């Protein structure tokens, strides 16, 4: 098969995850720049009947391995299957999502294929047929550019929420080819899987995040932020100080230790702005800081600053948002 | 039970990162160095498992002599011995070669379990654990926020987007650690621990000691390299919403700004 750009799409719970479409869109851009076709690879239970959807984002053909045994991601089974499928395509570049499972698959796949992966890429540049990739280091305090040497196959995992999705072209369906790759015998296994059904917005995928810090004073005060989050369709995050104090679960922690987030709007409430926190949210599109202390470092990153007691401001702000929502809808 | 903890020394999370004159590395003068927090979580988990099942915890790292300090800290926390691959050829080798050397050093220790951080807070590629497991042809369980082992099977909890997975593997296996300080509460080195650590062995290795030809680590062999570093774009100067507004006025002005200017609500 002629050289192509290959995207590895992530399929879970009967659907492609949104980030797969972002990666396909970026893959199409890279393929056009290199003058190559875009192909896809997808593994999962029920994926064959959905794979044509990738065509809307520019994928010409998708190789799929569909089996109920592949319902849940497991490195030991998925990596060898993907490696085999990718091998058949002989791509010039591989793109995949820098999601939790994508990052895991990518690292082991890179080692298996003896090629070099760059994770969490936010920008890809193609010049003279060569590919370079940019990714955040020190949680966004800096960025690094990488290039591949000696004809090494570039493998790139793309950070979710960064690469823009193409306008889907519903008239185009990808060709789907089932490939019969054996499922390897695995030693490890998925013992249980448990999805959160509370409807809570996932921090790493949220468009708006409201984070509370030390200034929240105690766990029960977060109900204020939750109410506001509900109105805005936002996720609630926390600083390390708040998590260390036991007010919020560790999964809510934003920062260099914790989650690096890049929502459209980040509202920092009672967060002074330690360097390690700023690193985790500094690439948000808009930042609002609410803090009593006018000298808090968080204001240096904020597009809009409010110097107020948060316990007075948040209820007033929530009320204004409520009024705004009712006039908009 | 033999547990190897693979750890890296990184700049402290509060460090200000400056780009060096070569444009592709960082200024290391004056940085405070720590054990990468996620590796420290792995170490804490290993030490707890040692308390439960008995056995030995060895730490393995690479880098210049300053890394000895991180290894001494690990020994003071309760690890039994340490290996440092201190070889200048690793400085210009790509991460695939570095991981080969680490794998060889780990193999010599004959572990039942390998624990390491899910990511390092410096270059944040989060690949080392999976690559070592692939090199060894072992299963790996990634991003543990809880771990248990009965001596023959290891179980972890792995958070994924919108849920969690429980993974299990027979030994030998490799586990990478996620989570936060609040989960793992890594122990501090006690004074007696620090005294004892001074007598614990740190083996210094070169790649030749691990059976490699140093020529295979020369810069020309690299498959990937960093060409440049850049600082994030400066954020536009923001605006403090004040004027003569009271709290309600400020709240209304913020809503208006977010809706009309930023167009995010």
């Amino acid at each position: 098969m002629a050289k192509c750009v290959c995207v590895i799409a992530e399929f879970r719970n009967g659907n492609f995850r949104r980030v797969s479409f972002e990666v396909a869109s970026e893959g199409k851009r890279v393929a056009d720049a290199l003058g190559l076709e875009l192909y896809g690879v997808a593994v999962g239970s029920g994926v064959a009947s959905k794979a044509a959807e990738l065509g809307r984002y520019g994928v010409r053909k998708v190789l799929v391995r569909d089996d109920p045994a592949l319902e849940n991601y497991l490195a030991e089974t998925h990596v060898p299957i993907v490696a085999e499928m990718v091998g058949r395509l002989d791509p010039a570049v591989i793109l995949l999502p820098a999601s939790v499972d994508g990052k895991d698959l990518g690292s082991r796949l890179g080692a298996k294929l003896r090629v070099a992966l760059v994770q969490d890429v936010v920008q890809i540049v193609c010049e003279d047929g060569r590919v370079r990739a940019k990714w955040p280091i020190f949680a966004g305090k800096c960025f690094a550019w990488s290039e591949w040497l000696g004809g090494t196959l570039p493998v790139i995992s793309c950070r979710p929420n960064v690469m823009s999705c193409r306008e889907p072209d519903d008239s185009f369906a990808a060709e789907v080819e089932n490939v019969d790759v054996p499922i390897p015998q695995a030693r490890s296994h998925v013992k249980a899987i448990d999805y959160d059904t509370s409807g809570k917005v996932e921090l790493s995928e949220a468009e708006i995040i409201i984070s509370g810090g030390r200034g929240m004073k105690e766990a029960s005060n977060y109900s204020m932020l939750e109410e506001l989050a509900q109105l805005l369709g936002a996720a609630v995050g926390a600083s390390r100080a708040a998590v260390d104090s036991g007010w919020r679960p560790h999964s809510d922690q934003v920062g260099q230790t914790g989650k690096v987030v890049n929502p459209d709007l980040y509202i920092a409430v009672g967060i002074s702005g330690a360097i390690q926190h700023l690193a985790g949210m500094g690439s948000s599109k808009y930042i609002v800081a609410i803090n009593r202390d006018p000298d808090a470092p968080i204001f240096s990153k904020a597009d809009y600053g409010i110097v107020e007691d948060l316990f007075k401001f948040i209820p007033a702000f929530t009320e204004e948002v409520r009024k705004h929502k009712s006039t908009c809808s | 039970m033999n547990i190897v903890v693979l750890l890296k020394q990184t700049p402290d999370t509060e460090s200000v990162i400056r780009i060096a004159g070569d444009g592709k590395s960082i200024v290391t003068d004056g940085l405070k160095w720590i054990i990468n927090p996620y590796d420290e979580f792995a170490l804490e988990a290993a030490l707890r498992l040692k308390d439960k099942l008995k056995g030995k915890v060895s730490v393995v790292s690479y880098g210049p002599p300053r890394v000895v300090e991180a290894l001494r800290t690990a020994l003071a926390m309760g690890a039994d011995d340490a290996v440092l691959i201190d070889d200048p050829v690793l400085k210009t080798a790509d991460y695939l070669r570095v991981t080969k050397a680490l794998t060889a050093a780990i193999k010599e220790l004959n572990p039942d379990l390998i624990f390491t951080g899910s990511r390092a807070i410096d270059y944040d590629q989060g690949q080392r654990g999976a690559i070592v497991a692939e090199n060894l042809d072992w299963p790996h369980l990634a991003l543990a926020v809880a771990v248990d082992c009965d001596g023959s099977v290891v179980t972890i909890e792995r958070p994924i987007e919108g849920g969690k997975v429980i993974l299990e593997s027979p030994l030998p296996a490799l586990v990478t650690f996620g989570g936060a300080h609040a989960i793992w509460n890594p122990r501090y080195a006690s004074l007696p621990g620090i005294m004892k650590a001074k007598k614990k062995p740190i083996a210094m290795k070169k790649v030749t000691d691990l059976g490699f030809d140093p020529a295979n680590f020369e810069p020309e062999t690299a498959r990937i390299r960093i060409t440049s570093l850049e600082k994030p774009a400066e954020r536009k100067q923001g605006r403090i919403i004040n004027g003569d507004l009271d709290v309600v006025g400020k709240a209304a002005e913020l809503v208006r700004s977010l809706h009309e200017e930023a167009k995010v609500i």
Side-chain angles (χ1 to χ4, degrees):
Chain A
M1 198 168 284
K3 285 270 185 194
C4 62
V5 172
C6 169
V7 292
I8 303 169
E10 186 168 327
F11 191 79
R12 186 194 289 169
N13 269 342
N15 283 299
F16 285 108
R17 299 196 61 240
R18 196 187 107 99
V19 64
S20 301
F21 303 137
E22 294 171 12
V23 174
S25 303
E26 185 65 15
K28 178 64 177 158
R29 209 182 56 74
V30 171
D32 287 347
L34 297 175
L36 299 172
E37 292 284 4
L38 180 64
Y39 286 75
V41 160
V43 173
S45 173
V47 67
S49 63
K50 293 270 189 173
E53 272 181 22
L54 293 172
R56 295 181 196 166
Y57 299 91
V59 180
R60 187 189 169 100
K61 180 176 175 178
V62 189
L63 302 189
V64 298
R65 181 69 176 92
D66 187 341
D67 193 291
L70 298 170
E71 166 85 33
N72 299 317
Y73 170 77
L74 186 69
E76 268 192 289
T77 51
H78 281 57
V79 172
I81 293 172
V82 170
E84 169 67 27
M85 291 161 84
V86 164
R88 292 189 192 189
L89 291 174
D90 186 26
V93 183
I94 299 176
L95 269 64
L96 73 163
S99 54
V100 173
D101 289 346
K103 280 180 165 179
D104 189 56
L105 180 134
S107 340
R108 195 145 183 169
L109 181 71
K112 191 170 201 65
L113 299 176
R114 296 172 196 280
V115 296
L117 162 73
V118 178
Q119 299 265 44
D120 232 4
V121 164
V122 295
Q123 193 183 346
I124 303 172
V125 169
C126 305
E127 280 163 347
D128 309 324
R130 296 167 68 88
V131 175
R132 293 189 306 130
K134 174 178 151 179
W135 87 97
I137 59 175
F138 298 92
K141 289 177 189 173
C142 234
F143 288 89
W145 281 98
S146 265
E147 69 175 2
W148 286 262
L149 304 166
T152 304
L153 168 66
V155 185
I156 296 169
S157 75
C158 305
R159 175 182 273 204
N161 281 355
V162 174
M163 307 214 170
S164 51
C165 249
R166 285 156 62 94
E167 197 56 46
D169 176 359
D170 292 337
S171 66
F172 196 82
E175 185 190 334
V176 179
E177 182 185 332
N178 278 286
V179 290
D180 190 22
V181 184
I183 299 173
Q185 201 73 53
R187 291 152 287 187
S188 56
H189 69 276
V190 175
K191 198 178 170 195
I193 188 156
D194 184 12
Y195 290 106
D196 181 0
T197 51
S198 67
K200 212 174 94 180
V201 181
E202 170 70 23
L203 204 54
S204 56
E205 296 175 349
E207 286 169 10
I208 301 178
I209 294 173
I210 305 166
S211 275
R214 202 188 296 276
M216 295 302 294
K217 291 206 168 78
E218 54 184 286
S220 62
N221 291 331
Y222 277 80
S223 58
M224 255 182 359
L225 301 190
E226 271 156 11
E227 186 189 348
L228 179 56
Q230 189 119 45
L231 274 175
L232 290 169
V236 176
S239 69
R240 181 175 162 191
V243 172
D244 282 354
S245 303
W247 301 341
R248 300 301 287 179
H250 68 90
S251 52
D252 288 358
Q253 187 169 320
V254 172
Q256 194 169 0
T257 51
K259 290 193 172 123
V260 176
V261 297
N262 44 326
D264 291 340
L265 174 60
Y266 188 91
I267 305 178
V269 184
I271 291 177
S272 62
I275 291 179
Q276 93 113 342
H277 187 79
L278 298 179
M281 45 61 88
S283 65
S284 304
K285 206 159 145 203
Y286 285 94
I287 295 171
V288 172
I290 298 155
N291 205 297
R292 215 167 40 179
D293 173 10
D295 297 323
I298 189 79
F299 286 118
S300 71
K301 290 275 179 189
D303 299 282
Y304 301 105
I306 303 279
V307 182
E308 274 291 348
D309 178 351
L310 69 93
F311 295 101
K312 289 188 185 131
F313 183 78
I314 293 297
F317 182 54
T318 305
E319 201 39 49
E320 291 302 318
V321 170
R322 200 188 311 276
K323 274 198 254 170
H324 167 74
K325 290 279 172 187
S326 64
T327 53
C328 283
S329 55
Chain B
M1 173 72 60
N2 260 346
I3 309 174
V4 166
V5 176
L6 186 53
L7 68 79
K8 187 177 186 186
Q9 190 187 44
T10 59
D12 184 78
T13 50
E14 288 303 305
S15 305
V16 173
I17 300 299
R18 293 186 184 85
I19 298 171
D22 67 358
K24 50 190 177 187
S25 61
I26 63 159
V27 176
T28 52
D29 297 350
L31 284 180
K32 185 185 165 208
W33 296 89
I34 58 169
I35 297 175
N36 168 43
Y38 294 93
D39 294 335
E40 199 182 9
F41 304 159
L43 175 61
E44 177 59 36
L47 294 172
R48 288 184 200 172
L49 206 53
K50 179 182 132 176
D51 292 343
K52 179 181 151 185
L53 298 172
K54 305 290 176 253
K56 198 179 94 168
V57 171
S58 306
V59 285
V60 173
S61 190
Y62 78 98
R66 64 169 152 74
V67 180
V68 167
E69 192 192 327
L71 295 175
R72 285 279 170 224
T73 303
L75 294 172
M77 286 168 71
D80 298 283
D81 52 30
V83 177
L84 176 63
I85 313 174
D86 163 25
D87 195 325
V89 297
L90 292 184
K91 214 178 159 188
T92 48
D94 67 27
Y95 70 90
L96 298 153
R97 311 271 173 198
V98 171
T99 323
K100 280 265 186 263
L102 289 169
T103 306
I106 292 167
K107 241 181 182 166
E108 290 185 347
L109 296 165
N110 198 23
D112 304 292
L113 276 170
I114 302 169
F115 282 7
T116 190
S118 57
R119 46 184 269 227
I121 58 160
D122 50 5
Y123 289 86
D124 217 342
Q125 286 292 294
Q127 301 191 44
R128 190 163 299 126
I131 296 175
V132 168
E134 178 64 29
N135 289 345
L136 292 168
D137 191 25
W138 283 17
H140 81 273
L141 311 179
L143 205 61
V145 296
V147 66
D148 197 18
C149 179
D150 63 5
S152 58
V153 171
V154 61
T155 309
I156 73 151
E157 179 184 327
R158 163 182 171 82
I160 56 171
E161 298 90 349
K164 63 178 184 186
V165 181
I166 309 294
L167 292 170
E168 205 167 71
S169 175
L171 305 191
L174 182 145
V175 178
T176 76
F177 287 78
H181 289 88
I183 297 186
W184 299 107
N185 289 310
R187 65 194 67 188
Y188 289 101
S190 63
L191 191 58
I194 293 167
M195 299 308 288
K196 268 193 224 158
K198 291 183 178 164
K199 296 201 186 85
K200 291 179 180 173
I202 299 181
M204 306 292 274
K205 305 250 182 192
K206 302 285 181 204
V207 294
T208 47
D209 299 325
L210 298 165
F212 293 102
D213 178 353
N216 290 334
F217 291 82
E218 293 295 327
E220 306 80 69
T221 66
R223 276 163 278 191
I224 188 161
R225 72 167 167 226
I226 291 177
T227 52
S228 62
L229 300 186
E230 64 183 47
K231 291 301 268 184
E234 284 291 324
R235 291 191 77 89
K236 211 168 76 237
Q237 180 72 42
R239 158 166 89 90
I240 299 289
I241 294 176
N242 48 17
D244 294 325
L245 300 169
D246 61 4
V247 171
V248 174
K250 285 180 187 175
E253 173 56 15
L254 180 59
V255 169
R256 190 201 64 77
S257 304
L258 292 175
H259 179 62
E260 291 176 14
E261 296 171 12
K263 301 186 167 57
V264 286
I265 64 167

